[in-house]
Amino acid sequence: MKKPKLSFWQILNLSFGFLGVQIGYSLQNGNTSRILEALGANVDSIGYFWLAAPMAGLIVQPIIGLSSDKTWTRLGRRIPFILLGSIISALAMFFMPNAGNFTNLLPPLIFGAVMLLLMDTSFNITMQPFRALVGDMVNDEQKNLGYSLQSALINFGAVFGSLLPWILSKAHVANVPGEGQKVADSVIWSFYIGGAILLLSVLWTVFRTKEYAPKEHALYNNIDLDAVEKKEKSNIFTLISDAPKIFWQLGLVQFFSWFALFLMWVYTTRAIANQVWGPEALDAKSLGFNEAGDWTGVMFAFYSSVAAIYALLIPTIAKAIGRKQTYSLSLLLGGLGLMSIFLVHDKTLLLLSMVGVGFAWAAILAIPYAMLSSSLPAEKMGVYMGLFNGTITIPQIAAGLLGSTLIALFGGAPIIIIVIAGISMAIAGLSVFFIKEKTE
């Protein structure tokens, strides 16, 4: 029996909470390096602090996926995890920019790193069930729409989250740390506002979505519940060995895509501070450096706004030229955008470089999940989506470990790391042609 067709608004409600999660995630991406430098981290070692995020995801997401596959409560199977993760995320967001106020517990840099780990672990607890929720509830015919709407919401959230410190500084909230402060008020208040919106948007999904009960879910996905119960319990290694081929083919593309994204998120602030602001931005507490940090948020907001619009067009474009061709072209344009930053010394022109990044980001958030979910067994959707997160976290761990080495090799120039990110994204675009979809 086929899953029922959902209305546009039902599909939107499934992922609405991702809007707030992405506001928080974008605040983290755009401001973590800035906060950590202000707390005392050196640019050549800052990539190691960022390792907390992908390592948390690598461990947490498969566990959450496996747990949510086997869970059923009055709230549903995925929603309890979404709600729990959002509460912890918001609390970590409230504490991280105030790390300087907890010196009686831990040194500020260590406290900030612990909050980063907690924040990203809880983001992972929340994000993975959102991916699986769309796979659970949306039929194959509407999956392109389901994941494209999720991508659009993610990017609308990313626009707001990325712009928030810049907006507050324009509203005359202090953009430079005051006496005795380590982090500017514009960043602190951004994290407060982002955390509050995260909670409210997740509550919208919680109260507006009714998941299929176990028997309904089994009926719509042709699952024999008695047979599933009699099967021996699968461990993670068995599940990995039994993964469909497309899991690994997409994994190759994901490796180069997320290697590029991690380098971009970690090093953009320092790269453009050196490239555009020059000597006046050398000090992490200087006005020049904080302006560069704000402009990084503007750049990230701009590529997210491009991605939000492009995500809504992906189903139409994919129908016209094919899903693989759309994916490949988007990643190639993202690679060109990143590489072009090396040639730009005007902050406004940097926005043009972000157009290609926006195309790539929209495709990365939508197309792999639409491709993969159609090839996964419905009763293991959550755990496989969690395992697939390894194709996101492992390349980020690799980038974090290699980042400082790459900077040392290229004379301490973060702008070269952005060029390397562009090359990696272009390789991802070419790797798409190794994918064989079930429909081919």
Side-chain angles (χ1 to χ4, degrees):
M1 186 175 177
K2 284 182 67 177
K3 290 178 194 172
K5 193 169 184 177
L6 301 181
S7 71
F8 174 87
W9 297 109
Q10 285 175 307
I11 296 174
L12 186 71
N13 288 338
L14 288 176
S15 296
F16 189 77
F18 226 142
L19 177 76
V21 175
Q22 192 60 38
I23 288 172
Y25 197 59
S26 296
L27 282 166
Q28 174 189 289
N29 287 342
N31 295 280
T32 291
S33 290
R34 176 184 183 178
I35 292 170
L36 292 175
E37 278 204 54
L39 295 175
N42 295 319
V43 68
D44 58 351
S45 62
I46 208 163
Y48 294 128
F49 289 94
W50 276 79
L51 285 174
M55 289 180 74
L58 184 63
I59 296 166
V60 169
Q61 289 218 18
I63 295 170
I64 295 300
L66 186 61
S67 300
S68 65
D69 279 341
K70 297 177 179 180
T71 296
W72 180 257
T73 70
R74 288 198 299 178
L75 285 175
R77 61 199 309 215
R78 314 293 183 192
I79 285 175
F81 294 93
I82 291 171
L83 182 59
L84 173 65
S86 69
I87 293 169
I88 301 171
S89 300
L91 290 173
M93 288 182 70
F94 297 152
F95 283 115
M96 184 182 177
N98 290 298
N101 297 331
F102 295 92
T103 52
N104 57 324
L105 296 176
L106 286 170
L109 186 57
I110 301 300
F111 188 89
V114 170
M115 286 301 106
L116 173 61
L117 175 61
L118 184 61
M119 184 164 42
D120 210 86
T121 300
S122 52
F123 281 149
N124 279 288
I125 292 171
T126 304
M127 287 177 175
Q128 192 282 328
F130 266 121
R131 301 287 191 200
L133 186 61
V134 173
D136 288 343
M137 301 289 291
V138 179
N139 63 32
D140 283 347
E141 184 186 339
Q142 293 184 297
K143 271 183 181 167
N144 274 353
L145 174 62
Y147 284 111
S148 293
L149 271 179
Q150 190 172 87
S151 178
L153 283 165
I154 288 169
N155 284 297
F156 284 125
V159 171
F160 183 75
S162 299
L163 280 178
L164 197 49
W166 180 80
I167 291 169
L168 291 177
S169 69
K170 293 299 177 186
H172 306 295
V173 177
N175 194 34
V176 176
E179 189 176 346
Q181 281 187 307
K182 292 187 178 294
V183 179
D185 282 345
S186 58
V187 176
I188 293 171
W189 278 99
S190 294
F191 274 65
Y192 290 165
I193 294 167
I197 295 174
L198 188 160
L199 281 174
L200 292 173
S201 64
V202 165
L203 287 172
W204 179 274
T205 289
V206 169
F207 290 115
R208 303 288 293 183
T209 299
K210 181 174 170 53
E211 294 186 66
Y212 298 131
K215 287 184 179 178
E216 282 181 296
H217 183 259
L219 183 63
Y220 292 142
N221 291 284
N222 299 314
I223 299 169
D224 184 340
L225 288 176
D226 292 331
V228 170
E229 286 176 8
K230 288 176 185 176
K231 280 185 183 178
E232 291 183 9
K233 289 185 178 180
S234 298
N235 61 44
I236 295 294
F237 299 105
T238 304
L239 289 164
I240 291 172
S241 66
D242 292 341
K245 283 184 179 179
I246 195 170
F247 181 99
W248 302 108
Q249 293 161 352
L250 283 166
L252 179 66
V253 181
Q254 290 276 90
F255 181 90
F256 290 107
S257 302
W258 286 91
F259 188 90
L261 289 169
F262 186 88
L263 292 178
M264 178 188 75
W265 288 331
V266 174
Y267 294 105
T268 294
T269 295
R270 178 47 70 187
I272 69 164
N274 293 356
Q275 179 107 334
V276 178
W277 277 264
E280 65 184 272
L282 292 177
D283 184 352
K285 293 184 180 180
S286 66
L287 179 61
F289 181 77
N290 279 285
E291 285 180 348
D294 286 347
W295 196 253
T296 297
V298 172
M299 289 167 62
F300 287 5
F302 186 76
Y303 85 66
S304 296
S305 63
V306 170
I309 297 166
Y310 184 61
L312 297 175
L313 300 175
I314 283 176
T316 303
I317 298 170
K319 192 173 182 180
I321 67 172
R323 193 153 57 179
K324 276 173 55 173
Q325 288 76 5
T326 305
Y327 193 15
S328 179
L329 179 62
S330 302
L331 295 176
L332 288 169
L333 290 172
L336 288 173
L338 285 170
M339 286 185 273
S340 71
I341 292 174
F342 181 77
L343 304 172
V344 180
H345 295 270
D346 179 270
K347 70 175 188 178
T348 305
L349 291 179
L350 286 170
L351 298 179
L352 292 177
S353 298
M354 291 291 104
V355 173
V357 177
F359 291 154
W361 181 234
I364 288 166
L365 291 176
I367 297 178
Y369 298 98
M371 285 181 167
L372 181 65
S373 62
S374 297
S375 300
L376 295 178
E379 70 274 16
K380 296 175 181 175
M381 181 72 70
V383 68
Y384 270 119
M385 284 292 186
L387 289 170
F388 189 63
N389 190 62
T391 68
I392 295 172
T393 55
I394 290 170
Q396 291 184 69
I397 292 168
L401 292 173
L402 287 172
S404 58
T405 304
L406 290 170
I407 282 188
L409 282 174
F410 292 101
I415 191 66
I416 301 298
I417 307 303
I418 304 300
V419 174
I420 292 170
I423 294 169
S424 182
M425 188 72 80
I427 293 171
L430 296 174
S431 301
V432 170
F433 293 101
F434 290 103
I435 298 171
K436 299 292 181 187
E437 289 194 77
K438 193 166 68 173
T439 53
E440 291 182 4

